[in-house]
Amino acid sequence: MPGSATDALDSAAVAHQVIRHGPVGSVAEGAAALGVAVADVVKTIVIRRGENDYVFVLVPGDRVISWPKLRALLGVNRLSLPDAGTAKDVTGYERGTITPFGSTTAWPVVADERIHGRKITLGAGERGVAIALAGDDALTALDATVADVTEPEPPR
């Protein structure tokens, strides 16, 4: 799959596999389509820290952002989620396909510590496509700040 995410991974010499899985409607559906645990499907969330100041937060699929932990780590009192249009404007990717690899701007990356030591999947910048790679390789290539910034997904 030619594209900016895979081009960025190739340029960084990060070993990865591109997996085409078709449309999915949730993280659980994505995990099933990829044949991986929900925790190994890593969501890339774009967070607005200030005017024209964003960060990517990498969150295991079975967890959600802990806003108090993330605010403390970033040293801010307020964070917000941009709307879908703004997220696309600042990353080049549509929501649901966002990845820090090949983003139009190399925003800082914060990754939950649970990504260490796992094989993960990330969005590939295109619907129905994922990238599988070693979590540690992703963290290194992205120069991610690694910390405990999530909490378990609440039961539904």
Side-chain angles (χ1 to χ4, degrees):
M1 171 190 83
S4 55
T6 54
D7 291 346
L9 285 158
D10 290 341
S11 293
V14 175
H16 63 280
Q17 176 186 8
V18 175
I19 304 169
R20 293 190 179 277
H21 56 76
V24 296
S26 68
V27 173
E29 285 181 23
L34 294 166
V36 302
V38 171
D40 295 331
V41 176
V42 174
K43 304 173 281 190
T44 302
I45 315 278
V46 180
I47 304 294
R48 183 179 183 271
R49 188 165 43 176
E51 188 171 337
N52 201 31
D53 182 17
Y54 298 86
V55 296
F56 290 113
V57 181
L58 302 182
V59 179
D62 62 343
R63 299 186 67 85
V64 295
I65 291 173
S66 167
W67 294 101
K69 290 177 186 178
L70 186 59
R71 284 192 304 269
L73 178 72
L74 296 175
V76 297
N77 293 323
R78 185 175 168 175
L79 295 167
S80 62
L81 293 169
D83 63 42
T86 301
K88 183 172 183 187
D89 289 345
V90 302
T91 67
Y93 297 123
E94 290 182 13
R95 207 178 260 168
T97 72
I98 295 173
T99 176
F101 290 105
S103 173
T104 53
T105 301
W107 301 110
V109 176
V110 173
D112 187 74
E113 65 189 12
R114 290 156 191 86
I115 293 170
H116 266 305
R118 302 187 80 108
K119 183 170 182 183
I120 63 168
T121 61
L122 287 170
E126 181 181 332
R127 296 225 179 264
V129 182
I131 298 168
L133 70 164
D136 290 338
D137 290 349
L139 298 176
T140 299
L142 295 166
D143 193 24
T145 298
V146 180
D148 177 11
V149 293
T150 66
E151 55 194 36
E153 176 105 36
R156 294 181 186 208

